[in-house]
Amino acid sequence: MADAAPEGRRSRRRKRSRRYNPDGTMTLIEHIYEFRRRLGWALLAVVAGGVFGFIWFQTRLGPVESLGQLMNGPYCGISPDRLLPGTIAPDGTCRLLQTTPFEGIMIQLKVGVAAGAVLTSPLWLYQLWAFIAPGLYSKERRYALTFVGFASVLFAAGAVLAYLLVPHAFAVLMSFGGDFFTTALTADKYISFVLSLLVIFGVSFELPLLVVMLNFVGVVKYAQLKKWRRGIVFALFVFAAFATPGSDPFSMLGLAGALTVLFEIAIQIARLHDRRKARRDRAAEWAGLPDDQAAPFDYTPSTIDDEPAEKAGQARTDDVT
C-alpha cells in the first residue's frame, strides 16, 4: 500500500506532463481533480497574500507607507475645514468613523485580502492558465502565458490610475452643497467606494489586452477593428460613464481616456500582427511551389475608368459653348 500511493501520484503527474501526454488528454474525473488542485493552489496564494495584506495594513514597510495610510490618503486630502471635528488627530492624521465594534477588523481583512489578491495575481492567474493550457496548442499556450504577465501589469496600472484619480473625485463630489455639509465618511462606505473604483479600473484595463489576444488567435482582424474604431471609442465613454461609481467627471474621463489610448495601441498591434502574418503566409505559399509552376501573381488586367475623362471633356465643351 505504501508503494501504491507514490505510484498513483507519479501516474497523475505523468498525465499532466507534456512528455508523457503530449495531447493533454484527460477523463472527466481527471479534469475535476485537476480543477480542484489548481483551485486549491490559487486559493492558497490568495490567502497568503491576504495574510500579508492584513499585516501590512498597520505596518510600514520601509519607505512604503502602511496600507491603512495609503487607503486613507484620498480622504485625508479633503480640506480640514470640511471634515467633522475630531476626525483629525493631534498629530495631523485623519481618521475614519467606526460605527460598529467589528467594523475595524472587517475593513482590515477586506483591504488585506484585496491587496493580497493583487500582489499574488501572477500566481493564481498562472494556476488558471495551467488548468486551461492542456487543451491549447503550443502557440496558444505561448499566447496565454504572455496574457498572464500583461494582465497582471495592466490590472496594477489601472488600480494605480484609479488611486491617483480618487482625490480629484472627492474634491468634486465634496464641493456640492457649499458650506451646508460636513464630511463624515464611515470606514465601510469609504473603503467600499475606493476598492470598487480600483477593481473597476483594473478589470477595465484588461479589455484592450483581450482584443489583442482575439486578434492573435484569428477571431478579430485589423480591418474589422479599423472599421469599428469610432463605435468602440463611443462605447468606451458610455462604459466609463456607467462603470465609475462616482458621478464626478474626473474618474469617468480618466477611465475613458486611458481605455481609448490602450485600445488604439491594441489596434496598432493588431495591424502589425496581421501584416506580419500575411507576409509569412505569402512566403510559405511561394516556398512550396515547384520550379515548373508559375508564381501566384494576379494576372488580371486592370480596367481603365473612362468616366472621369468623359466628364472632363464634357466640362471643356460647356466652357466653349
Side-chain angles (χ1 to χ4, degrees):
M1 297 296 295
D3 297 335
E7 183 63 28
R9 289 195 297 268
R10 191 178 299 111
S11 64
R12 290 194 297 267
R13 193 179 300 111
R14 286 184 175 181
K15 289 183 178 181
R16 295 192 299 266
S17 175
R18 281 288 166 179
R19 179 180 178 183
Y20 297 97
N21 189 10
D23 296 333
T25 56
M26 295 183 184
T27 63
L28 178 60
I29 298 299
E30 291 171 349
H31 273 293
I32 295 176
Y33 286 155
E34 179 70 8
F35 175 74
R36 184 185 64 179
R37 190 175 71 90
R38 295 298 179 183
L39 180 62
W41 282 111
L43 291 178
L44 183 62
V46 173
V47 169
V51 172
F52 173 77
F54 187 85
I55 299 174
W56 182 24
F57 189 88
Q58 296 186 9
T59 306
R60 183 185 179 95
L61 303 178
V64 182
E65 293 284 347
S66 64
L67 190 58
Q69 292 295 332
L70 291 175
M71 294 299 296
N72 275 5
Y75 176 74
C76 296
I78 302 175
S79 179
D81 58 347
R82 299 191 61 87
L83 296 177
L84 184 69
T87 56
I88 303 296
D91 58 354
T93 59
C94 55
R95 299 173 179 175
L96 295 170
L97 294 179
Q98 180 177 278
T99 57
T100 59
F102 296 99
E103 187 172 0
I105 188 173
M106 293 305 296
I107 291 298
Q108 185 173 349
L109 182 62
K110 181 191 297 186
V111 175
V113 171
V118 174
L119 293 177
T120 60
S121 58
L123 299 179
W124 54 264
L125 282 175
Y126 172 79
Q127 296 300 324
L128 176 62
W129 168 82
F131 176 72
I132 301 175
L136 302 177
Y137 295 105
S138 59
K139 181 179 67 174
E140 294 172 343
R141 290 198 303 272
R142 185 175 69 252
Y143 292 157
L145 188 59
T146 305
F147 172 81
V148 171
F150 279 99
S152 304
V153 174
L154 287 175
F155 188 92
V160 170
L161 178 61
Y163 183 80
L164 296 176
L165 291 176
V166 167
H168 301 284
F170 273 119
V172 173
L173 295 176
M174 300 304 156
S175 64
F176 293 101
D179 297 330
F180 292 95
F181 300 99
T182 297
T183 303
L185 298 178
T186 61
D188 182 53
K189 293 183 178 180
Y190 168 76
I191 294 298
S192 298
F193 174 80
V194 175
L195 287 180
S196 62
L197 199 63
L198 297 179
V199 172
I200 288 173
F201 271 67
V203 173
S204 299
F205 270 45
E206 309 292 342
L207 298 178
L209 181 60
L210 179 62
V211 172
V212 174
M213 297 305 297
L214 291 177
N215 173 257
F216 272 48
V217 297
V219 177
V220 179
K221 301 296 183 181
Y222 165 72
Q224 296 172 321
L225 296 175
K226 181 180 179 181
K227 182 179 180 181
W228 300 339
R229 178 183 277 119
R230 294 183 179 180
I232 290 176
V233 173
F234 177 77
L236 290 178
F237 276 84
V238 174
F239 169 78
F242 284 97
T244 50
S247 58
D248 63 288
F250 287 100
S251 57
M252 185 200 74
L253 293 177
L255 179 59
L259 288 180
T260 301
V261 173
L262 290 176
F263 262 97
E264 184 61 31
I265 295 175
I267 292 175
Q268 296 305 319
I269 293 176
R271 180 176 67 87
L272 295 176
H273 175 260
D274 288 354
R275 181 183 299 175
R276 189 181 303 112
K277 184 175 181 297
R279 192 182 304 117
R280 287 198 305 264
D281 294 343
R282 191 180 306 112
E285 183 181 2
W286 288 14
L289 291 177
D291 296 337
D292 57 348
Q293 183 176 346
F297 290 111
D298 186 10
Y299 297 100
T300 304
S302 58
T303 59
I304 300 176
D305 188 6
D306 296 330
E307 183 179 357
E310 293 176 359
K311 290 184 177 179
Q314 183 66 30
R316 286 194 298 268
T317 305
D318 295 341
D319 293 339
V320 172
T321 56

